[in-house]
Amino acid sequence: MKLYSTKNKQAFTGLKQAVLKGLPDDNGLYMPMEIPRLPEAFIENLSDFSFPEIAFTVCRYLFKESIQEEDLRRIIQKAVNFPAPVVPLDEEKYVLELFHGPSLAFKDFGARFMAQLMSYFNEGETRELVILVATSGDTGGAVAAGFLQAPGIKVIILYPSGKVSMLQEKQLTTLDHNIFALEVDGTFDDCQALVKQAFLDKGLSGALRLTSANSINISRLVPQTFYYFEAYKQLPRDGKKTVFCVPSGNFGNLTAGLMAQRMGLPIHHFIAATNVNDVVPEYLESGLFSPRPSVRTLSNAMDVGNPSNFARMIDMYEGKTEGSTWNNMRRSISGYAFDDAQTREALAEVHRQYQYIIDPHGAVGYLALKEFQQRRSGTKGVVLETAHPAKFLDEVEHVLNQKVEVPHRLAVLAEREKRAVWMPPEFSAFKKWLLDNVA
Ligand SMILES: *Cc1c(COP(=O)(O)O)cnc(C)c1O
């Protein structure tokens, strides 16, 4: 497999380097040089294949000889080991539950697969790989669980003290083994600044093999294509065209859907659903892309003012002129945005009408699908339910005025003992800790 940077389509990188580096030096994003079409017979007979078998086939065509078949099988067995069930609301609306992994959000798919690929490409290296992650809450849990006991890898997670929820904190601080949590006496920005400075520090880069578990790493994008196929397999063959509705922030999930479509999955249309951080719906409407600082909302994992994967979306629709890129994208993707009051109403409506408890991110998706289907009938729509409602317990219980069941794997965390290292927001202290404890 070869990859180019969205900022330079002439220079190619192999999969190993793209995975271990994360970002090209020119600050573009890695994209596959070729997105191969899968055989029609495979797509028509998806129901003959298990979820891991589907994932294996997608990777075989995409990665080609970059990974040995047996190794790939092993990687997938470890990474794709929880289901992605489709639940019908009615004959036109379906929910794809992506929260059955350890951290109860779809980011588990990306994090687990990235962990396996990084370990694989790191094999044979004598020095450990040290991954630095700053988290505002959600991503850290998925990364920590994904990398737990990955051979040859240590993960250092920095989180802002008192600014993540109790359960989020427990997800970061109760794993041990190769996962280290640093509780930073500061903000998320302080955490990010420490990580950035570490990558620039000559003393550290001499002593440690540092890398990041960045959300735009290609190894997080690829596994997100798997569940579009898995969802399609579970839908009825009723002649209705399939539409996917993706609650979006950085637009990695939606970009993966575009890749699945390029690979031949018959997806008729995409819906980009956002909260009031609506730069992409705005672009689809006006042709103008104006990134701006994010606004805090109920669906906080989508509070993104400058979506990092937008460059990949542009890349996939690039036309000869700027206007033609916009028109190409608009033909495939419709965008809708909703505020918190509408999100709360949707939570209640989905429960009242369908007896289904959806989370705030899924609720934004539900609203977008409903609006789309009011204009275009005769489709069946799948909303990606990106997190379990119990992750937003207070809000969901308050809106529904009833208790929400907390999954066992989340509930047991509350009992576990937190282990974190207290860290002032100063680089000298962070550097000293790394050299004393990790090098
Ligand atoms: C990260 C996240 C999103 C946004 O996904 P993108 O790929 O960044 O668009 C949506 N919902 C939840 C629960 C998330 O954690």
Side-chain angles (χ1 to χ4, degrees):
M1 182 193 197
K2 288 199 177 112
L3 302 105
Y4 58 77
S5 160
T6 50
K7 290 205 172 146
N8 178 5
K9 300 191 184 189
Q10 314 310 326
F12 299 114
T13 301
L15 181 62
K16 175 175 178 174
Q17 205 196 349
V19 169
L20 292 180
K21 247 174 96 81
L23 269 182
D25 290 328
D26 61 14
N27 261 322
L29 300 182
Y30 285 120
M31 276 299 275
M33 190 180 91
E34 188 206 352
I35 300 177
R37 267 189 105 76
L38 304 186
E40 260 168 52
F42 171 70
I43 306 245
E44 270 163 30
N45 299 305
L46 278 175
S47 49
D48 294 346
F49 298 92
S50 68
F51 189 16
E53 283 166 350
I54 289 174
F56 176 78
T57 304
V58 170
C59 288
R60 283 277 290 152
Y61 278 87
L62 204 56
F63 294 164
K64 305 217 167 62
E65 64 293 341
S66 299
I67 300 182
Q68 296 286 320
E69 201 168 307
E70 276 322 297
D71 294 325
L72 184 59
R73 239 179 250 290
R74 188 170 43 83
I75 287 168
I76 291 202
Q77 211 171 42
K78 287 191 185 157
V80 187
N81 60 352
F82 53 90
V86 170
V87 177
L89 295 182
D90 60 26
E91 283 173 6
E92 294 191 331
K93 292 185 180 62
Y94 297 81
V95 174
L96 170 61
E97 295 185 342
L98 298 176
F99 54 66
H100 292 275
S103 84
L104 287 85
F106 83 91
K107 292 200 173 66
D108 284 325
F109 285 99
R112 293 182 84 72
F113 193 77
M114 171 164 60
Q116 292 304 322
L117 271 197
M118 279 192 170
S119 306
Y120 171 74
F121 285 130
N122 197 45
E123 258 167 44
E125 292 285 345
T126 46
R127 291 166 74 201
E128 253 176 351
L129 196 60
V130 178
I131 295 175
L132 302 181
V133 193
T135 182
S136 56
D138 234 27
T139 312
V143 169
F147 279 92
L148 182 62
Q149 292 181 292
I153 296 183
K154 277 189 182 139
V155 180
I156 321 297
I157 299 179
L158 295 84
Y159 70 97
S161 179
K163 295 189 179 65
V164 304
S165 77
M166 186 269 278
L167 285 174
Q168 282 177 334
E169 183 171 39
K170 295 270 173 149
Q171 285 185 325
L172 307 174
T173 58
T174 59
L175 293 170
D176 296 330
H177 296 285
N178 58 330
I179 313 293
F180 301 82
L182 304 188
E183 181 174 5
V184 175
D185 185 14
T187 62
F188 170 62
D189 291 338
D190 291 323
C191 297
Q192 256 190 327
L194 290 175
V195 168
K196 279 200 179 139
Q197 206 173 338
F199 287 124
L200 297 174
D201 189 88
K202 292 258 163 25
L204 277 181
S205 52
L208 299 166
R209 270 183 76 218
L210 294 178
T211 189
S212 71
N214 215 303
S215 69
I216 52 214
N217 195 300
I218 189 75
S219 63
R220 279 177 70 164
L221 200 61
V222 169
Q224 292 176 193
T225 63
F226 304 160
Y227 45 71
Y228 286 90
F229 291 88
E230 174 67 10
Y232 188 86
K233 164 181 118 180
Q234 295 172 61
L235 292 171
R237 300 195 158 202
D238 54 7
K240 293 193 182 102
K241 288 175 172 161
T242 305
V243 173
F244 278 97
C245 178
V246 191
S248 295
N250 271 318
F251 282 82
N253 224 354
L254 195 136
T255 303
L258 301 179
M259 284 174 62
Q261 188 187 42
R262 286 283 164 94
M263 286 186 244
L265 192 65
I267 302 173
H268 176 64
H269 200 76
F270 287 94
I271 303 168
T274 71
N275 55 35
V276 293
N277 296 285
D278 62 348
V279 292
V280 171
E282 184 183 87
Y283 168 80
L284 290 165
E285 188 68 35
S286 69
L288 299 173
F289 183 67
S290 356
R292 48 184 169 260
S294 65
V295 177
R296 219 185 145 93
T297 77
L298 202 58
S299 46
N300 54 38
M302 315 198 302
D303 295 349
V304 179
N306 188 6
S308 48
N309 283 289
F310 187 69
R312 283 191 169 123
M313 293 168 69
I314 290 289
D315 189 80
M316 293 190 75
Y317 287 106
E318 204 126 66
K320 295 229 160 24
T321 66
E322 220 167 280
S324 64
T325 304
W326 175 56
N327 273 314
N328 293 343
M329 201 189 292
R330 265 154 59 94
R331 268 196 285 278
S332 306
I333 311 173
S334 301
Y336 301 97
F338 301 93
D339 65 23
D340 280 355
Q342 292 170 305
T343 305
R344 287 195 181 90
E345 273 170 37
L347 266 173
E349 180 178 309
V350 171
H351 187 236
R352 197 171 54 239
Q353 213 160 316
Y354 305 108
Q355 292 76 53
Y356 185 84
I357 300 181
I358 206 160
D359 97 295
H361 303 79
V364 170
Y366 167 80
L367 286 168
L369 177 62
K370 198 172 135 184
E371 189 150 328
F372 175 83
Q373 287 183 325
Q374 272 162 6
R375 293 186 207 167
R376 294 208 221 170
S377 54
T379 59
K380 56 176 177 274
V382 184
V383 176
L384 272 56
E385 172 56 320
T386 49
H388 192 287
K391 284 197 97 165
F392 308 91
L393 201 60
D394 293 347
E395 189 62 43
V396 175
E397 288 187 340
H398 180 72
V399 171
L400 302 184
N401 199 16
Q402 71 164 61
K403 284 273 165 215
V404 172
E405 203 181 322
V406 178
H408 181 70
R409 60 195 188 286
L410 190 61
V412 293
L413 280 181
E415 311 300 319
R416 294 222 195 117
E417 202 189 327
K418 160 185 162 182
R419 251 176 278 193
V421 176
W422 182 257
M423 185 66 53
E426 280 132 34
F427 183 67
S428 55
F430 179 44
K431 179 172 175 176
K432 179 169 183 340
W433 183 86
L434 281 173
L435 291 173
D436 291 349
N437 294 278
V438 183

